[in-house]
């Protein structure tokens, strides 16, 4: 959830702003750099395809994928698109994609009115448009935070009883604060929104036949309880479709995790004879479905738990389901029996973590050493095997949990061939 939390905090921060909403004119610039002609080529763009909800679109290969999921309790995809022009200070763009219920009552972080999504409390321009052959709503607004402006665009379109939201944000620079000798570019919609227009132009919705051919799908469940001394908000996936045995096994396993986690928290957080314990305590959990093929499912739960003290702690749980056998897969099950898989994984993770320069070498070497206790959190994506290192394991609390994704081509020689076929089946 720490990735989702970062996004949510960013949304709240942006939406709050620290100035009144400015006009839509370009920000005045000192030391303006010459604008470059924006040229966007789609030939090498990558495709994000979501078989669970039935949509796909292309995005620049240069984009940094900060979060990706097939189904999620918040966002499906977060892209850092960087800047489309060059200067010491220039607008940068990001993209967020998520799906919400049409009748949702959750409004802490956004407004949803008449099929139009908006994070600026109504301070937006609204336009009805046609998108991928469907009537959609486009909203645009500008706000400011921490001395810098941002321009936000949202496309909202109905999708099988839900809303698909594509949000695009351009983070500008207050060029008036830039020192001498530095080049600074103000926001230019024709240039800085060009990526959005190209991405939107590639959006495709799957046909009804494609939707019917899906063996299973997911809905979101939520367990909430709010008392004056504790608050629980636990979101979890509910598997629909598939065979009865598979569906029951997956949902029962997730329900067991829900019951165990919330039960232990509530038992601890409930005061004995109202003894005035500090609070409120907090448990928040979100989920992501990171891989879904006809024969394999991978989930990750990320959350935050506060039980007193200076700060709370991020919490994590991962599951990999073999749908052919209706069993959970351990890390060792992914590899051939004679493979020294812990050393292979450890060598890659240590190299990746040390490259980030997030903490001392000894800290990384110990926390990522080839020991079972260091590799208890792992999940699968289309790109590779991802390892989660909780806070304090390889870096400080301030640096947060760390994730390392190991591409399959780096470990496929040691992986169980049958597992590789499960990962790629249906892709």
């Amino acid at each position: 959830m720490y990735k989702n939390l970062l996004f949510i905090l960013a949304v709240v921060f942006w939406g709050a702003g620290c100035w009144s909403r400015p006009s839509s004119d370009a920000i005045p610039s000192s030391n303006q750099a010459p604008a470059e002609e924006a040229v966007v080529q789609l030939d090498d763009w990558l495709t994000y395809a979501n078989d669970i909800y039935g949509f796909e679109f292309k995005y620049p290969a240069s984009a940094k994928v900060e979060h990706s999921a097939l189904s999620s309790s918040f966002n499906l995809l977060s892209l850092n698109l960087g800047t489309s022009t060059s200067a010491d200070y220039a607008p940068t763009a990001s993209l967020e994609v998520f799906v919400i219920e049409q009748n949702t009552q959750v409004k802490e972080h956004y407004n949803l009115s008449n099929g139009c999504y908006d994070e600026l409390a109504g301070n937006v321009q609204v336009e009805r448009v046609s998108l991928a052959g469907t009537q959609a709503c486009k909203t645009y607004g500008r706000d400011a935070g921490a001395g810098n402006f941002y321009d936000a665009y949202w496309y909202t379109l109905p999708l099988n009883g839900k809303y698909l939201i594509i949000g695009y944000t351009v983070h500008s620079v207050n060029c008036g604060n830039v020192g001498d000798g530095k080049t600074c570019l103000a926001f230019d919609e024709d240039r800085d929104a060009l990526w959005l227009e190209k991405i939107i132009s590639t959006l495709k919705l799957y046909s009804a036949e494609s939707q019917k051919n899906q063996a299973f799908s997911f809905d979101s469940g939520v367990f909430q309880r709010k008392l004056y001394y504790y608050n629980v908000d636990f979101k979890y996936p509910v598997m629909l479709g598939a065979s009865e045995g598979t569906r029951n096994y997956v949902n029962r396993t997730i329900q067991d995790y829900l019951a165990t986690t919330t039960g232990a928290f509530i038992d601890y957080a409930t005061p004995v004879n109202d003894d005035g314990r500090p609070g409120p305590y907090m448990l928040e959990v979100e989920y992501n479905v990171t891989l879904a093929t006809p024969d394999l499912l991978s989930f990750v739960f990320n959350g935050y738990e506060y039980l007193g003290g200076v700060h709370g702690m991020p919490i994590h749980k991962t599951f990999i389901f073999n749908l052919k056998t209706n069993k959970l897969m351990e890390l060792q099950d992914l590899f051939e029996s004679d493979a020294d898989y812990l050393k292979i994984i450890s060598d890659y993770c240590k190299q990746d973590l040390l490259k980030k320069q997030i903490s001392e070498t000894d800290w990384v070497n110990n926390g990522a050493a080839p020991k079972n206790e260091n590799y208890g959190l792992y999940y699968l994506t289309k790109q590779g095997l991802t390892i989660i290192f909780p806070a304090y394991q390889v870096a400080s609390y301030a640096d947060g949990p760390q994730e390392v994704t190991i591409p399959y081509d780096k470990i496929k020689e040691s992986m169980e061939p049958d597992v590789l076929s499960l990962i790629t089946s249906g892709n």
Side-chain angles (χ1 to χ4, degrees):
M1 174 180 170
Y2 56 93
K3 289 182 178 178
N4 290 338
L5 281 173
L6 290 175
F7 170 65
I8 294 170
L9 291 172
V11 168
V12 174
F13 181 68
W14 295 339
C18 63
W19 296 341
S20 60
R21 182 171 178 266
S23 69
S24 59
D25 295 332
I27 307 165
S29 169
S30 61
N31 304 316
Q32 180 81 21
E36 298 178 353
E37 183 179 354
V39 179
V40 177
Q41 300 291 341
L42 302 182
D43 296 345
D44 64 342
W45 281 30
L46 304 177
T47 299
Y48 172 83
N50 194 302
D51 294 335
I52 292 177
Y53 296 109
F55 69 92
E56 69 173 49
F57 59 84
K58 294 182 178 295
Y59 64 90
S62 59
K64 180 182 179 182
V65 179
E66 297 184 335
H67 175 77
S68 178
L70 296 176
S71 183
S72 173
S73 46
F74 201 76
N75 60 322
L76 299 173
L77 183 69
S78 298
L79 295 178
N80 181 346
L81 294 163
T83 178
S84 61
T85 187
S86 97
D88 294 317
Y89 298 94
T92 58
S94 60
L95 187 84
E96 299 285 345
V97 180
F98 47 100
V99 171
I100 57 177
E101 300 291 337
Q102 290 193 11
N103 60 351
T104 181
Q105 300 299 312
V106 181
K107 297 183 179 179
E108 290 92 339
H109 306 295
Y110 57 79
N111 293 299
L112 183 62
S113 177
N114 297 321
C116 296
Y117 183 90
D118 146 38
E119 290 174 2
L120 298 180
N123 294 320
V124 293
Q125 300 171 20
V126 178
E127 180 183 359
R128 300 291 174 172
V129 297
S130 178
L131 184 59
T134 302
Q135 288 300 305
C137 180
K138 176 184 177 182
T139 49
Y140 162 77
R142 171 179 280 194
D143 208 338
N148 295 329
F149 294 88
Y150 69 92
D151 293 78
Y153 305 79
W154 298 281
Y155 281 89
T156 309
L157 67 157
L159 186 69
N160 301 318
K162 304 178 187 293
Y163 281 121
L164 171 65
I165 315 294
I166 300 176
Y168 182 85
T169 305
V170 181
H171 310 271
S172 300
V173 180
N174 187 342
C175 290
N177 294 337
V178 174
D180 294 338
K182 299 291 185 180
T183 55
C184 182
L185 286 175
F187 170 73
D188 182 322
E189 184 168 22
D190 290 338
R191 179 194 68 217
D192 296 319
L194 184 58
W195 266 332
L196 173 62
E197 295 172 10
K198 294 296 184 182
I199 291 171
I200 287 297
S201 72
T202 68
L203 178 68
K204 296 179 181 179
L205 305 181
Y206 294 3
S207 68
E209 286 301 315
S210 296
Q211 291 295 318
K212 287 193 294 185
N213 289 337
Q214 292 301 319
F216 52 81
S217 61
F218 297 96
D219 204 350
S220 290
V222 60
F223 175 84
Q224 293 178 320
R225 182 173 295 180
K226 187 172 184 178
L227 301 176
Y228 75 93
Y229 44 84
Y230 70 77
N231 183 28
V232 178
D233 187 349
F234 195 116
K235 300 179 179 69
Y236 58 93
V238 178
M239 189 180 194
L240 307 175
S243 68
E244 182 178 0
T246 294
R247 183 176 65 250
N248 289 345
Y249 177 70
V250 171
N251 288 334
R252 184 175 66 250
T253 302
I254 293 171
Q255 287 289 329
D256 287 346
Y257 171 61
L258 165 68
T260 301
T261 305
T262 57
F265 170 82
I266 291 172
D267 285 346
Y268 183 89
T270 302
V272 179
N273 298 322
D274 197 13
D275 59 4
R277 300 167 76 178
Y281 294 146
M282 181 185 302
L283 175 65
E284 294 182 346
V285 178
E286 294 181 345
Y287 74 87
N288 294 293
V289 181
T290 61
L291 185 70
T293 75
D295 300 315
L296 192 146
L297 273 178
S298 181
F299 296 92
V300 58
F301 290 86
N302 291 302
Y304 177 84
E305 185 176 52
Y306 176 72
L307 292 172
V310 177
H311 56 69
M313 284 293 293
I315 58 174
H316 318 274
K317 181 66 175 177
T318 59
F319 296 97
I320 300 175
F321 293 93
N322 185 329
L323 302 183
K324 295 184 72 173
T325 61
N326 288 344
K327 291 183 179 180
L328 285 172
M329 300 185 72
E330 304 292 337
L331 186 59
Q332 64 190 37
D333 298 331
L334 305 179
F335 295 88
E336 294 183 327
S337 58
D338 59 348
D340 192 0
Y341 67 93
L342 282 176
K343 184 180 186 306
I344 295 170
I345 293 172
S346 172
D347 288 346
Y348 187 95
C349 289
K350 285 191 287 187
Q351 182 181 24
D352 185 86
L353 292 166
L354 290 172
K355 192 185 306 180
K356 295 178 181 178
Q357 298 182 334
I358 54 172
S359 62
E360 299 172 0
T361 300
D362 287 346
W363 200 344
V364 171
N365 286 336
N366 290 330
K371 301 177 180 178
N372 285 319
E373 58 265 32
N374 288 339
Y375 293 93
L377 295 168
Y378 46 88
Y379 62 89
L380 300 174
T381 69
K382 288 185 178 181
Q383 291 71 41
L385 167 66
T386 298
I387 306 296
I388 301 176
F389 296 96
Y392 291 120
Q393 183 170 329
V394 295
S396 68
Y397 179 88
D399 289 308
Q402 300 295 317
E403 291 193 3
V404 176
T405 297
I406 309 171
Y408 292 122
D409 61 4
K410 301 293 184 182
I411 53 176
K412 64 181 180 181
E413 298 299 326
S414 302
M415 291 188 70
E416 181 66 46
D418 289 345
V419 172
L420 279 173
S421 67
L422 292 179
I423 293 171
T424 58
S425 65
N427 286 352

